[in-house]
């Protein structure tokens, strides 16, 4: 074999071996890349699954939170008692009673468990503008500045009369009680009045909180001071006051100092505090609705949900965080105004409730009760259960009265018998009690038949009986009528 041929064959073998080694290296690299790709795919899949789980968990938590804070509500009943604009509504903490204050100068208390029946009412000289519960005490304020406390849910013998505890110079707008139940704040015009509960249990006016120094405005015109809302913070020694022209101010009751929190150019209308006293929502005339969260360091703006009344005949549960309505509660016609709202959250063994009251409807004013929808229809207690206790009470009162009359009649009869001992036999008494319409022939016949055996009676009076017998018969005749009327 020529040398050149051998050399070419050897070169080709070397190139083949080199290619084989390169292919093996490429296969190894491809395997490594495949392993890395699998690992990366697993990490991507795990990340996607984690993100999906987090997203689902967040959505579920959001739904649960929205459902817990603003569940779906259905109408439970209607109260038609007010005859003019409803200015304020308030539930007791257990949701048993609902108090209403209206322009018809009447405060009413309705029993939710007894078919929304009216169990107490109080009429005054001025329209009532504010109500607030604390345990069994109902605080009431009216347009004339009168602040009073009543005890409508107390039963006899613990029931107490209503008492006026103060007369302010301006209409009462808002009433707020602290968690401890020993302090009351009342907004009346420009002033916020402080009341304290004494050791004897009586409520007394203490002082008015200091007014903040607002200063001049941009046009050098000082607007009127008007307190539109007051709320105790978690610390009962501090409160938050909203002013119509001057924003929110925090007042330290112990130090008797005020601090500007939000404003002072904000125009605060109505405001409401969350049940846990950590959040606040206010109607800002300039910017709409403002949500705040109170912390130990600051008063921060947040996003939350609230129940709002409108001038279009409905109330709205609005979630500002997501910019949407949660539910619309249709109260009345498009011309009616929802002027009062109440909400109770912690109701043992019951569901959350909302009350809405309207205005500008005159005699057709209504209060609607809405209850949380849990899939079962909300039922108002039957009217039979409302009327049954009253019927039983009336029957018991009638029976007691009849028994008393019978006992009195028996006592009088026994006393008369003691005054006339052994003068008359049983037959004589029965003859005296006998109806005068009985047949005279039979009585005369029996008397003639027994004349021979009966001994002579005492000297008769002109009417045919002795004087004692005549008086005794008149008394027994009258007494017999009383007994017959009572028994029949």
């Amino acid at each position: 074999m020529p040398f050149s041929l051998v050399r070419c064959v050897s070169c080709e073998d070397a190139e083949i071996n080199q290619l084989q080694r390169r292919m093996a290296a490429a296969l190894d690299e491809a395997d490594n890349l495949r392993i890395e790709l699998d690992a990366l795919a697993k990490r991507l899949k795990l990340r996607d699954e984690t993100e999906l789980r987090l997203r689902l968990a967040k959505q579920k938590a959001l739904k649960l939170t929205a459902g817990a804070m603003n569940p779906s509500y259905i109408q439970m009943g209607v109260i038609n008692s007010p005859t003019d604009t409803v200015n304020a509504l308030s539930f007791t903490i257990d949701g048993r009673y609902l108090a209403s204050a209206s322009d018809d100068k009447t405060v009413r208390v309705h029993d939710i468990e007894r078919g929304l029946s009216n169990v107490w009412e109080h009429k005054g000289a001025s329209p009532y503008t504010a109500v607030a519960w604390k345990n069994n005490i109902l605080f009431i304020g009216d347009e004339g500045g009168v602040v009073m406390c009543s005890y409508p849910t107390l039963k006899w013998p613990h029931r107490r009369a209503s008492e006026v505890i103060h007369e302010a110079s301006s209409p009462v707008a808002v009433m707020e009680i602290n968690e401890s139940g020993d302090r009351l704040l009342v907004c009346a015009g420009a002033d916020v009045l402080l009341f304290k509960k004494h050791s004897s249990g009586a409520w007394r006016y203490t002082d008015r909180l200091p007014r903040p120094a607002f200063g001049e405005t941009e046009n050098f015109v000082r607007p009127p001071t008007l307190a539109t809302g007051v709320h105790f913070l978690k610390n009962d020694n501090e409160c938050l006051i909203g002013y119509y022209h001057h924003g929110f101010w925090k007042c330290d009751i112990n130090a008797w100092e005020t601090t500007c929190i939000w404003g002072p150019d904000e125009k605060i209308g109505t405001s409401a505090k969350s049940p846990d006293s950590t959040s606040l929502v206010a109607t800002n005339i300039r910017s709409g609705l403002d949500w705040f969260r109170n912390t130990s360091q600051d008063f921060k703006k947040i996003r939350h949900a609230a129940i709002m009344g409108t001038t279009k005949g409905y109330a709205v549960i609005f979630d500002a965080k997501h910019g949407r309505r949660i539910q619309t509660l249709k109260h009345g016609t498009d011309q009616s105004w929802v002027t009062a709202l109440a909400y109770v959250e912690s109701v043992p063994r019951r569901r959350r409730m909302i009350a809405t009251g309207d205005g500008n409807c005159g005699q057709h004013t209504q209060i609607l009760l809405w209850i949380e929808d849990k899939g079962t229809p909300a039922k108002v207690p039957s009217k039979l259960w409302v009327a049954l206790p009253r019927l039983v009470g009336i029957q018991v009162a009638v029976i007691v009265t009849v028994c008393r009359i019978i006992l009195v009649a028996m006592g009088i009869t026994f006393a008369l018998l003691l005054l006339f001992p052994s003068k008359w036999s049983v037959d004589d008494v029965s003859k005296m009690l006998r109806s005068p319409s009985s047949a005279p022939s039979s009585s005369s016949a029996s008397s003639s038949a027994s004349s021979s055996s009966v001994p002579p009676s005492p000297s008769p009076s002109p009417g045919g009986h002795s004087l004692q017998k005549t008086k005794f018969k008149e008394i027994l005749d009258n007494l017999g009528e009383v007994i017959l009327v009572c028994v029949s």
Side-chain angles (χ1 to χ4, degrees):
M1 179 179 295
F3 176 76
S4 59
L5 183 60
V6 175
R7 185 176 180 273
C8 291
V9 172
S10 301
C11 292
E12 291 177 357
D13 293 339
E15 290 177 357
I16 291 172
N17 293 332
Q18 187 178 1
L19 290 174
Q20 289 178 349
R21 287 193 297 269
R22 289 179 180 178
M23 291 179 61
L27 290 174
D28 293 339
E29 187 176 356
D31 292 338
N32 294 334
L33 289 175
R34 191 180 299 110
I35 294 173
E36 291 179 1
L37 288 174
D38 292 340
L40 182 60
K42 290 180 180 179
R43 288 197 296 268
L44 290 174
K45 184 179 179 181
L46 181 61
R47 189 185 68 177
D48 293 341
E49 291 177 354
T50 304
E51 290 180 354
L52 181 60
R53 284 198 296 268
L54 290 176
R55 192 181 302 113
L56 293 176
K58 186 181 293 185
Q59 292 177 357
K60 185 177 180 180
L62 182 61
K63 290 181 180 179
L64 290 176
T65 303
M69 296 180 57
N70 299 290
S72 177
Y73 290 87
I74 57 176
Q75 184 176 329
M76 177 182 177
V78 181
I79 299 173
N80 295 310
S81 300
T83 57
D84 209 334
T85 300
V86 180
N87 295 317
L89 295 169
S90 179
F91 281 106
T92 54
I93 192 172
D94 60 354
R96 170 71 185 272
Y97 298 99
L98 174 66
S100 64
S102 56
D103 279 348
D104 59 3
K105 304 178 182 180
T106 307
V107 175
R108 298 175 177 85
V109 175
H110 306 274
D111 193 339
I112 306 300
E113 293 187 352
R114 292 189 175 182
L116 310 179
S117 59
N118 186 5
V119 297
W120 183 88
E121 68 177 32
H122 176 82
K123 292 185 177 295
S126 301
Y128 288 103
T129 54
V131 285
W133 286 97
K134 189 59 181 180
N135 299 330
N136 293 322
I137 305 177
L138 177 63
F139 294 94
I140 305 170
D142 68 9
E143 198 174 74
V146 175
V147 180
M148 61 185 297
C149 58
S150 302
Y151 310 87
T153 60
L154 292 181
K155 306 300 182 182
W156 187 88
H158 304 289
R159 174 158 291 188
R160 299 168 58 181
S162 302
E163 55 180 339
V164 176
I165 57 179
H166 186 67
E167 293 185 8
S169 57
S170 301
V172 176
V174 178
M175 312 181 83
E176 173 79 2
I177 310 170
N178 64 347
E179 292 294 333
S180 303
D182 57 356
R183 290 183 178 181
L184 170 68
L185 293 177
V186 175
C187 290
D191 296 325
V192 178
L193 311 178
L194 174 63
F195 297 81
K196 290 185 179 180
K197 184 179 180 181
H198 290 197
S199 57
S200 61
W203 286 84
R204 295 291 180 265
Y205 168 72
T206 302
D207 203 347
R208 68 173 180 86
L209 299 185
R211 294 184 187 176
F214 299 123
E216 301 290 344
T217 57
E218 295 178 356
N219 55 0
F220 302 101
V221 177
R222 179 173 294 180
T225 303
L226 180 62
T228 57
V230 61
H231 308 279
F232 277 103
L233 303 180
K234 277 201 168 183
N235 180 6
D236 286 346
N237 295 322
E238 294 180 341
C239 66
L240 195 68
I241 307 173
Y243 291 95
Y244 184 75
H245 292 283
H246 306 95
F248 279 111
W249 291 69
K250 181 185 288 186
C251 179
D252 190 330
I253 299 177
N254 290 339
W256 216 247
E257 296 178 351
T258 56
T259 307
C260 182
I261 299 299
W262 191 262
D265 297 329
E266 304 295 332
K267 300 182 70 172
I268 304 301
T270 58
S271 57
K273 185 178 64 175
S274 64
D276 58 0
S277 302
T278 60
S279 303
L280 188 77
V281 59
T283 55
N284 192 325
I285 308 301
R286 296 175 182 263
S287 59
L289 290 176
D290 288 339
W291 279 261
F292 303 91
R293 180 175 295 279
N294 180 46
T295 64
S296 57
Q297 291 82 16
D298 199 358
F299 192 68
K300 297 182 178 179
K301 212 171 185 181
I302 63 167
R303 294 297 180 183
H304 221 293
I307 308 169
M308 301 174 292
T310 69
T311 58
K312 297 296 184 181
Y314 59 86
V316 179
I317 304 175
F318 184 75
D319 185 358
K321 183 176 181 180
H322 299 88
R324 61 183 178 88
R325 295 185 182 186
I326 297 176
Q327 187 179 357
T328 299
L329 307 178
K330 185 63 175 177
H331 180 92
T333 63
D334 294 340
Q335 287 74 34
S336 61
W337 299 354
V338 177
T339 55
L341 293 168
Y343 170 73
V344 60
E345 182 179 43
S346 300
V347 186
R349 299 181 300 277
R350 300 182 185 91
R351 294 179 280 190
R352 298 178 178 90
M353 290 184 291
I354 297 174
T356 58
D358 57 28
N360 74 324
C361 295
Q363 297 290 331
H364 302 286
T365 302
Q366 292 182 335
I367 299 173
L368 268 62
L369 191 69
W370 308 83
I371 194 165
E372 180 183 359
D373 185 11
K374 290 188 175 180
T376 56
K379 296 182 180 180
V380 179
S382 172
K383 293 184 178 181
L384 176 62
W385 293 104
V386 178
L388 188 59
R390 297 180 182 178
L391 295 176
V392 173
I394 293 174
Q395 292 178 356
V396 171
V398 170
I399 293 174
V400 170
T401 303
V402 171
C403 292
R404 287 179 178 176
I405 295 175
I406 293 175
L407 289 176
V408 171
M410 292 175 63
I412 294 174
T413 305
F414 182 72
L416 293 176
L417 291 176
L418 289 178
L419 291 175
F420 307 99
S422 65
K423 291 231 177 192
W424 308 107
S425 64
V426 176
D427 294 335
D428 293 333
V429 174
S430 62
K431 288 178 182 178
M432 283 185 287
L433 292 177
R434 188 174 301 162
S435 174
S437 61
S438 59
S441 59
S442 61
S443 61
S444 60
S446 61
S447 60
S448 61
S450 58
S451 60
S452 59
S453 59
V454 176
S457 60
S459 58
S461 63
H465 300 284
S466 67
L467 182 61
Q468 291 181 345
K469 182 175 179 181
T470 302
K471 293 181 179 180
F472 189 46
K473 183 177 180 181
E474 291 178 357
I475 294 173
L476 288 181
D477 285 340
N478 296 332
L479 186 61
E481 293 180 1
V482 174
I483 294 175
L484 289 176
V485 169
C486 295
V487 172
S488 60

